[in-house]
Amino acid sequence: MPATDGRRAAVLGSPIAHSLSPVLHRAAYRELGLDDWSYDRFEVDEPALPGFVGGLDASWAGLSLTMPLKRAVIPLLDEITDTAAAVEAVNTVVLTEDGRRVGDNTDIPGMVAALRERGVEKVDAAAVLGAGATASSALAALARICSGPVTAYVRSEARAEEMRGWGERLGVDVRTAAWDDAAEAFAAPLVVATTPAGTTDALAASVPDAPGTLFDVLYDPWPTRLAAAWSARGGKVVGGLDLLVHQAVLQVEQMTGRTPGPLAAMRAAGEAALAQR
């Protein structure tokens, strides 16, 4: 169906009420003049996912997926991109004209684009705080921009082993260190914080003078204590809203076929929504 015809899209996950995706995608549709397009949110857990995906008809353009569905959706798809396969996670499903369901991961190029927007295109070393699902996407992004080692600061040997395994798979020289030594990460030119809210608060006092770049993937509440301390000491900060907007722009482009996506309008809508919370 042509992009001008009314189409449907949505974000799925559990919990989903907090998602900013509807705000961002609807802002994009308004900017692109796609007045007949709709974008909703649906509370969907893993057991309910096959039924939801199986019920999609030709009116659907695509889906955005958040936790815990990024891996669970893979067996339900006809194809996934190399980017998604690299981290075994799909956050975007596009329904093609011939009815195929194609999975992609826009988090990884979204991270790269968010850093590039702030002038960070290449680094010779980096550090990652945390070892969850977002950390593996961070490693995949760093594989594209980091020429040297990446040190992951983790809480257990099991997590350390997992991160080293991702490094081998992604072609990244991953070294691991204990979370107790996480303040040492701040000597790196790029630090990516992938941990839940509050986890890095205690590290804020350890930010050195003239730090490099911090990419903190959180966006609510913002700024985090770490991001505020980093900025106060003259460091460059990339936030979770930057990532959210850049990955969403890529989703809009894939689902609508319109390039480039309206980044500025989507960011403004996201900022306004967060200000109201």
Side-chain angles (χ1 to χ4, degrees):
M1 297 174 67
T4 51
D5 290 344
R7 303 295 300 279
R8 300 183 68 187
V11 60
L12 315 182
S14 183
I16 200 62
H18 69 288
S19 175
L20 277 181
S21 292
V23 171
L24 302 181
H25 284 252
R26 290 169 186 169
Y29 297 165
R30 287 193 298 271
E31 190 74 7
L32 294 170
L34 300 177
D35 299 330
D36 293 334
W37 281 56
S38 65
Y39 189 101
D40 301 298
R41 63 165 67 90
F42 292 95
E43 183 82 16
V44 177
D45 59 13
E46 289 188 54
L49 184 61
F52 192 99
V53 173
L56 300 178
D57 60 24
S59 69
W60 283 85
L63 301 171
S64 307
L65 299 169
T66 186
M67 299 305 292
L69 306 178
K70 292 184 178 183
R71 185 166 294 177
V73 76
I74 293 176
L76 308 176
L77 304 177
D78 298 299
E79 177 187 347
I80 65 172
T81 64
D82 291 342
T83 301
V87 291
E88 297 179 355
V90 165
N91 79 328
T92 307
V93 175
V94 176
L95 278 71
T96 65
E97 291 183 3
D98 60 0
R100 291 172 58 79
R101 301 168 185 146
V102 180
D104 193 13
N105 187 309
T106 63
D107 286 331
I108 296 166
M111 285 185 177
V112 174
L115 285 165
R116 184 184 302 118
E117 184 183 30
R118 301 302 176 87
V120 181
E121 298 196 12
K122 292 290 182 182
V123 292
D124 57 13
V128 174
L129 303 178
T134 306
S136 61
S137 292
L139 286 181
L142 289 170
R144 302 184 180 192
I145 68 169
C146 184
S147 60
V150 176
T151 304
Y153 291 82
V154 298
R155 293 190 181 278
S156 68
E157 179 53 35
R159 288 293 199 179
E161 195 171 321
E162 185 176 337
M163 289 296 280
R164 290 192 293 266
W166 279 115
E168 290 180 15
R169 178 170 182 166
L170 296 167
V172 179
D173 178 11
V174 173
R175 304 167 187 186
T176 55
W179 182 259
D180 289 345
D181 299 323
E184 296 177 3
F186 300 160
L190 172 61
V191 178
V192 185
T194 69
T195 53
T199 306
T200 61
D201 285 357
L203 296 173
S206 300
V207 177
D209 292 332
T213 299
L214 171 70
F215 193 158
D216 194 325
V217 303
L218 296 173
Y219 64 85
D220 187 18
W222 185 262
T224 63
R225 287 177 60 182
L226 178 60
W230 201 277
S231 182
R233 288 168 176 77
K236 188 178 297 186
V237 175
V238 184
L241 184 60
D242 298 309
L243 169 59
L244 192 63
V245 170
H246 276 282
Q247 65 82 25
V249 163
L250 296 172
Q251 291 183 333
V252 168
E253 290 177 353
Q254 290 190 30
M255 293 180 194
T256 68
R258 301 289 187 86
T259 304
L263 180 73
M266 295 170 73
R267 174 177 278 129
E271 290 173 345
L274 287 175
Q276 292 175 359
R277 291 188 176 181

